[in-house]
Amino acid sequence: ILNVEQSPQSLHVQEGDSTNFTCSFPSSNFYALHWYRWETAKSPEALFVMTLNGDEKKKGRISATLNTKEGYSYLYIKGSQPEDSATYLCAFMGYNNNDMRFGAGTRLTVKP
Amino acid sequence: DVKVTQSSRYLVKRTGEKVFLECVQDMDHENMFWYRQDPGLGLRLIYFSYDVKMKEKGDIPEGYSVSREKKERFSLILESASTNQTSMYLCASSSRGGGKLFFGSGTQLSVL
């Protein structure tokens, strides 16, 4: 079983705070790393697909970085808003596989 | 609008029943996945398929089987449902080569 680990498990921040989460994954056999946002009562939606070491992706106030050699990715949210409240999942794909393994997620709550 | 459709949103079954969960995608995706989601455990991969009639075990295949007779349809089968299979089941699809996953809306299965 591939280990994809996320930390912290949950996070409570005030509106306007900036925050970040970590995803760690096997550094060997890397092919792709995905980030998803999963809001309550909805389906997970993709935020970023990252494939190259050193990749940085940005979508509005959310950005992500990737280090494939050491096996970690960071997701940053700048100026958190209540609508950012969700569970953020990362998923790892190995080079010789077609499967996607998810971490357990970071549950973010942004208080107004 | 691209879609992954799961046949039932809520399902209640009895222990020992055979249960079929159906998933259909309209994006001509090669890869299809079945996950279950339990509190604190994130999304765990049950089975996936990278082509018609092909299937691969994920991390927790015991008690489940799958069928992919057509490219657009991926079925999850619980041969003899048990109470520990009460869970949220999510189907997803993606293109070959690490593309982002598109998820269905999920099936909340309760086995009594």
Side-chain angles (χ1 to χ4, degrees):
Chain A
I1 295 179
L2 296 171
N3 285 329
V4 181
E5 296 183 359
Q6 292 187 246
S7 63
Q9 187 174 3
S10 66
L11 200 52
H12 291 75
V13 301
Q14 289 294 134
E15 182 175 355
D17 287 351
S18 293
T19 187
N20 65 84
F21 328 130
T22 305
C23 173
S24 62
F25 51 86
S27 57
S28 60
N29 200 35
F30 175 87
Y31 187 81
L33 192 284
H34 296 194
W35 280 100
Y36 292 82
R37 176 165 64 196
W38 194 359
E39 296 178 69
T40 304
K42 294 186 178 180
S43 304
E45 290 188 352
L47 287 170
F48 304 115
V49 174
M50 308 176 82
T51 55
L52 298 174
N53 185 42
D55 238 356
E56 290 188 25
K57 301 268 186 177
K58 188 175 165 66
K59 189 175 185 178
R61 294 179 291 98
I62 305 177
S63 60
T65 61
L66 178 68
N67 183 323
T68 61
K69 294 186 178 181
E70 295 182 38
Y72 64 84
S73 175
Y74 294 133
L75 187 79
Y76 300 92
I77 302 179
K78 187 177 177 183
S80 303
Q81 299 296 308
E83 59 264 31
D84 295 329
S85 296
T87 296
Y88 292 83
L89 298 165
C90 69
F92 168 84
M93 175 181 269
Y95 192 81
N96 295 323
N97 306 317
N98 284 293
D99 59 333
M100 296 291 300
R101 291 322 207 273
F102 281 82
T106 293
R107 185 176 183 87
L108 174 68
T109 304
V110 182
K111 299 176 185 176
Chain B
D1 237 8
V2 294
K3 266 194 176 168
V4 178
T5 303
Q6 293 184 230
S7 52
S8 305
R9 186 74 181 92
Y10 299 96
L11 211 50
V12 180
K13 296 291 182 181
R14 296 208 175 273
T15 302
E17 279 193 77
K18 190 168 185 175
V19 181
F20 293 86
L21 301 183
E22 305 285 348
C23 177
V24 178
Q25 50 95 4
D26 63 1
M27 294 167 279
D28 201 35
H29 282 164
E30 291 82 8
N31 299 334
M32 295 188 76
F33 307 83
W34 275 106
Y35 294 91
R36 64 178 279 178
Q37 191 259 338
D38 300 289
L41 296 177
L43 292 175
R44 292 185 292 166
L45 182 63
I46 305 171
Y47 268 97
F48 68 100
S49 168
Y50 55 88
D51 206 344
V52 177
K53 296 192 187 293
M54 304 303 289
K55 59 185 179 184
E56 295 282 347
K57 292 180 181 179
D59 295 327
I60 51 164
E62 296 78 18
Y64 303 95
S65 62
V66 290
S67 172
R68 192 155 181 213
E69 295 297 317
K70 294 184 178 181
K71 190 176 185 181
E72 67 270 18
R73 186 180 296 268
F74 192 36
S75 303
L76 180 70
I77 304 154
L78 286 66
E79 296 289 343
S80 177
S82 63
T83 54
N84 62 13
Q85 292 178 310
T86 292
S87 187
M88 169 68 81
Y89 290 86
L90 281 164
C91 174
S93 71
S94 73
S95 58
R96 191 162 287 152
K100 65 182 179 181
L101 270 62
F102 291 84
F103 284 86
S105 54
T107 296
Q108 179 62 53
L109 173 68
S110 297
V111 183
L112 305 177

